[in-house]
Amino acid sequence: MKIIKKPSWQLNENEVTPKELFDKRRNFLKLGAASLVASGAILETLAKDNIPIKNLDFIKDKNLNNLKLNTYEQITTYNNFYEFTTSKTRVKDLARTFDTSNWTIDIDGLVEKEMTLDLDDLMKTMSLEERIYRFRCVEGWSMVVPWIGFTLKDLIKKVKPLSKAKYVRFETLLDEEQFPDQARGIFATIKYPYVEGLRMDEAMNDLTLMAVGLYGSKMPNQNGAPIRLIVPWKYGFKSIKSIVRISFVEEQPVNSWQEQNSREYGFYANVNPNVDHPRWSQKRERVLGKFFKQDTLMFNGYEKEVAHLYKGMDLRKFI
Amino acid sequence: MMKRLAIHITLFLPLIFLLVQLFIIEVNDPVKYIYTISGIVSTVILFFSITISLIKKRVNLLKYRRAIGLWGFFYALVHMINFVVFDAQFDIYFILEETFDKPFIYLGMIAFFILLFMAATSTRKLFRKYSKYHASVYLALLLITIHFVMAQKTIDIDMFCYIAVILVIGYYKLLQIIVKNSKVYTS
């Protein structure tokens, strides 16, 4: 009797996939890959279509940190702008008719000469640059936005504050005709006009931006048109929208959210994963569009640029 | 039979709505969105479950109270799963820290465990034994309301409307209990 002893590596006949099926599987994989590429391309075109035509001239950000941008759609359909509504998704619709033409900014307080700047004129004299920044909201969500604007430092140099000026105070437009929540009087969600402030050295930091646009075109109404502040190492509410007044003052201004609830929202509002909000943790953040969270970085990732501003300060106390 | 089916379909629809928003329309902040929808739906269903005995003369849904209550628990469970999976990402340390540290979280947790207890003892056999503890739903609802208010950055008109509805239900519920008790004493 002849005994056939199979070598250990040899498969049983029934374990072998027939060639026909094997080929089919390859075809299926190819199809899958092709459809992935195709839908990716379509999605990209669609996403591009939602971005308005670029209408600003600016120096592009090289994005050295390789930040992954949020889409124009995400940035412009999820907004906190209480003057319109507390609903983040309804702001876009309500802000559609917001009139920002002939916008002026009053500069007053401790300056050599108080003045009213016409925004169109101002834009002609400032050189614009793109700044791709992380943007972290105190509520726990975040996004990455390609803002366009000029540094606040350049503006401050232009308007020449006096040496007595220790703080900069900003104010948003007060206009019941245009802002539904302001028209609600004592039933308004927060006190208006919205006020924010920075210490002079924070204002003079190279990161502090006066933004007039994003994704190459001018600022969408819902994002704080026509001009807003961007302080990327602080929680989003510090980055005041639709600015009409900038005052140079000696005393630390009381900002709107601090006035609303000083236990939860302070003057500094630095992004700090080690100091929780009294009601929720600040350790992690939800990037718009993502199901899973990521760790929040100290000073929102701008520690190198700004940590020296707070040396020796107890950041648990100075929230 | 038709009534039961209609109830189940109605209470299933919010889940479909949630899934469509999450995966087809794609909301910007899914984690927050799941919290909001599951939380509001659960709260509304649970408040409705206690109003069933108030409206029984007009619409009698007493037979379906258990099913309705379980749907309320289901949405609370979705809320809780969202916390564990997407918010905490299974980080037990984070869950414990938050639970013991933040009133906002532990009030919600206590309410959830009350509902869990009620759902677990809702079978015919266990209900007979534990039904007297099911009055703890009122405590759960109180905690849920506080939890809900604490989740808001500011209190606006919508919130006052919710609270007004809750107070009206509470008022009639209290009245019902007082009337019931006085009957017991007088008879």
Side-chain angles (χ1 to χ4, degrees):
Chain A
M1 208 171 89
K2 197 176 164 192
I3 297 171
I4 305 169
K5 211 174 167 209
K6 268 204 287 184
S8 64
W9 48 266
Q10 201 174 344
L11 292 171
N12 285 329
E13 203 64 41
N14 62 357
E15 282 175 32
V16 178
T17 311
K19 183 172 184 300
E20 203 187 338
L21 277 181
F22 180 71
D23 287 342
K24 260 194 193 155
R25 180 178 164 273
R26 303 198 70 146
N27 274 338
F28 181 69
L29 282 179
K30 266 191 235 160
L31 263 176
S35 71
L36 266 181
V37 172
S39 62
I42 290 166
L43 279 180
E44 214 171 88
T45 336
L46 280 177
K48 269 188 194 141
D49 278 348
N50 283 327
I51 303 175
I53 303 154
K54 285 198 168 74
N55 54 18
L56 293 175
D57 274 328
F58 57 92
I59 306 158
K60 261 195 98 55
D61 187 332
K62 290 196 192 76
N63 197 8
L64 295 174
N65 291 325
N66 281 317
L67 296 175
K68 198 178 169 302
L69 297 185
N70 277 91
T71 64
Y72 184 80
E73 188 75 18
Q74 286 165 340
I75 295 167
T76 56
T77 57
Y78 198 73
N79 310 101
N80 272 329
F81 202 150
Y82 281 25
E83 281 81 350
F84 289 108
T85 166
T86 49
S87 157
K88 292 189 222 325
T89 45
R90 279 184 55 221
V91 177
K92 187 184 174 189
D93 242 12
L94 286 168
R96 216 176 283 273
T97 54
F98 184 48
D99 182 16
T100 59
S101 55
N102 306 318
W103 195 271
T104 56
I105 304 169
D106 288 331
I107 310 280
D108 58 18
L110 305 167
V111 280
E112 273 184 19
K113 190 170 153 265
E114 296 195 338
M115 59 180 119
T116 300
L117 296 171
D118 179 88
L119 185 61
D120 291 332
D121 294 344
L122 180 67
M123 292 270 286
K124 281 176 203 143
T125 63
M126 305 308 269
S127 70
L128 299 183
E129 51 181 306
E130 183 181 48
R131 294 284 183 93
I132 297 174
Y133 282 156
R134 296 180 199 86
F135 188 83
R136 168 68 154 79
C137 179
V138 71
E139 294 165 5
W141 54 270
S142 72
M143 54 188 179
V144 174
V145 189
W147 303 109
I148 291 161
F150 50 86
T151 56
L152 176 58
K153 181 166 86 176
D154 285 349
L155 180 66
I156 291 178
K157 279 183 188 155
K158 229 176 146 71
V159 299
K160 300 193 184 105
L162 304 174
S163 60
K164 273 197 300 188
K166 296 284 181 291
Y167 295 91
V168 195
R169 181 184 180 278
F170 304 86
E171 219 176 275
T172 302
L173 179 69
L174 187 67
D175 183 354
E176 291 184 5
E177 306 258 306
Q178 296 221 66
F179 288 139
D181 199 63
Q182 289 184 348
R184 286 156 77 179
I186 55 160
F187 295 109
T189 315
I190 57 172
K191 242 176 110 179
Y192 300 112
Y194 194 96
V195 171
E196 258 310 335
L198 290 175
R199 224 168 54 189
M200 200 53 125
D201 57 348
E202 295 176 321
M204 294 296 282
N205 189 280
D206 282 326
L207 291 179
T208 309
L209 198 69
M210 296 296 283
V212 293
L214 60 91
Y215 259 114
S217 60
K218 65 182 196 13
M219 191 66 76
N221 290 345
Q222 62 271 34
N223 290 79
I227 184 164
R228 67 174 294 177
L229 180 72
I230 295 297
V231 200
W233 69 94
K234 293 176 182 284
Y235 291 121
F237 69 84
K238 282 301 276 190
S239 293
I240 184 169
K241 301 184 178 84
S242 308
I243 297 167
V244 290
R245 181 187 299 274
I246 301 175
S247 314
F248 292 86
V249 293
E250 208 172 343
E251 302 284 313
Q252 182 176 303
V254 178
N255 48 312
S256 290
W257 277 104
Q258 186 185 15
E259 192 178 6
Q260 177 82 16
N261 186 347
S262 62
R263 205 174 76 89
E264 299 191 346
Y265 313 103
F267 173 80
Y268 287 97
N270 288 318
V271 175
N272 188 342
N274 310 315
V275 178
D276 283 356
H277 182 275
R279 284 179 282 164
W280 53 78
S281 161
Q282 294 289 25
K283 287 190 185 68
R284 296 190 197 135
E285 63 201 37
R286 314 182 300 272
V287 181
L288 290 193
K290 295 242 165 69
F291 270 97
F292 287 101
K293 305 207 288 190
Q294 68 182 29
D295 287 345
T296 286
L297 303 169
M298 187 64 202
F299 294 115
N300 206 21
Y302 302 100
E303 198 168 1
K304 216 168 60 198
E305 292 88 347
V306 301
H308 66 274
L309 298 172
Y310 311 101
K311 236 173 101 184
M313 284 172 72
D314 179 359
L315 294 182
R316 290 190 175 272
K317 204 173 133 213
F318 294 97
I319 58 160
Chain B
M1 197 58 217
M2 278 306 285
K3 220 173 178 180
R4 181 171 292 272
L5 190 68
I7 289 169
H8 280 298
I9 290 175
T10 312
L11 299 183
F12 181 59
L13 283 178
L15 182 69
I16 299 291
F17 173 80
L18 179 61
L19 294 174
V20 168
Q21 291 284 326
L22 286 180
F23 296 107
I24 297 171
I25 296 173
E26 292 182 7
V27 293
N28 282 320
D29 190 348
V31 182
K32 175 78 185 294
Y33 196 75
I34 299 171
Y35 273 139
T36 309
I37 299 296
S38 62
I40 290 176
V41 172
S42 175
T43 309
V44 169
I45 295 176
L46 290 170
F47 269 101
F48 180 70
S49 76
I50 64 158
T51 51
I52 287 175
S53 64
L54 288 176
I55 56 165
K56 67 178 176 219
K57 279 187 189 134
R58 286 172 192 276
V59 216
N60 190 352
L61 294 172
L62 278 175
K63 260 205 300 198
Y64 312 110
R65 192 157 60 176
R66 172 170 172 264
I68 293 170
L70 282 173
W71 272 106
F73 171 70
F74 169 75
Y75 285 100
L77 185 67
V78 170
H79 200 75
M80 184 65 158
I81 289 172
N82 189 44
F83 177 63
V84 175
V85 178
F86 294 125
D87 202 342
Q89 282 157 224
F90 300 106
D91 181 343
I92 303 292
Y93 181 72
F94 177 84
I95 294 172
L96 291 177
E97 202 187 2
E98 289 286 279
T99 305
F100 290 106
D101 194 43
K102 306 270 185 315
F104 169 55
I105 311 285
Y106 63 65
L107 295 181
M109 280 286 186
I110 297 169
F112 177 77
F113 281 103
I114 291 174
L115 298 180
L116 179 67
F117 160 78
M118 289 180 64
T121 59
S122 68
T123 60
R124 201 178 290 268
K125 220 171 112 189
L126 287 172
F127 185 72
R128 216 171 290 148
K129 203 167 154 194
Y130 293 103
S131 64
K132 54 177 180 275
Y133 302 114
H134 278 220
S136 59
V137 71
Y138 297 110
L139 174 64
L141 284 172
L142 180 71
L143 299 179
I144 287 169
T145 306
I146 299 170
H147 173 78
F148 188 23
V149 172
M150 285 186 93
Q152 315 302 317
K153 203 156 135 202
T154 55
I155 310 285
D156 60 1
I157 289 181
D158 301 358
M159 211 59 216
F160 284 117
C161 292
Y162 285 118
I163 294 168
V165 172
I166 287 168
L167 288 176
V168 169
I169 297 172
Y171 171 73
Y172 280 105
K173 217 51 218 183
L174 209 64
L175 218 59
Q176 190 189 35
I177 292 165
I178 292 168
V179 170
K180 210 166 127 191
N181 282 346
S182 65
K183 267 184 194 157
V184 171
Y185 289 125
T186 50
S187 62

